[in-house]
Amino acid sequence: MEKLAEVTTWRDSTLFSEAERLALEYAERITYTDRRVDDALVAELKNHYSDAQIVELTAAIAMENFRSKFNPALGIEAQGFCMVPKRG
């Protein structure tokens, strides 16, 4: 729960490992249209993840991006399965 509470400030948080920070950086670069995944980031990812894990990570990020566009367009509300803790 502590990591979840700090996910929006992951760059400054001491809770995330180097591998987790790379995965979060990767997710941001995939998500934001003004950012790109470059060879340097892929090389860093390969220091921590296998090719299969990178494919799985990419698929998970892409699916969440899909849901973030698909669900609101159809008025699909959160179902309460993932409760994000309030920052306090």
Side-chain angles (χ1 to χ4, degrees):
M1 290 303 282
E2 290 178 49
K3 283 183 180 178
L4 187 56
E6 291 194 23
V7 76
T8 59
T9 57
W10 64 268
R11 282 182 176 86
D12 300 320
S13 174
T14 59
L15 297 179
F16 297 95
S17 69
E18 183 178 348
E20 291 168 329
R21 288 174 190 280
L22 284 168
L24 290 165
E25 176 68 25
Y26 186 54
E28 283 191 0
R29 290 202 202 179
I30 291 172
T31 301
Y32 294 112
T33 57
D34 64 334
R35 300 184 192 173
R36 296 284 177 259
V37 175
D38 58 18
D39 292 342
L41 180 60
V42 172
E44 287 186 66
L45 286 166
K46 287 184 175 194
N47 288 330
H48 296 275
Y49 300 102
S50 69
D51 288 343
Q53 289 172 318
I54 293 170
V55 169
E56 187 174 345
L57 180 59
T58 304
I61 295 164
M63 180 57 74
E64 291 309 316
N65 282 320
F66 169 80
R67 289 180 221 212
S68 76
K69 300 296 182 190
F70 186 88
N71 291 351
L74 297 177
I76 299 171
E77 299 287 330
Q79 304 298 305
F81 296 116
C82 179
M83 301 305 293
V84 177
K86 292 190 188 288
R87 296 175 75 177

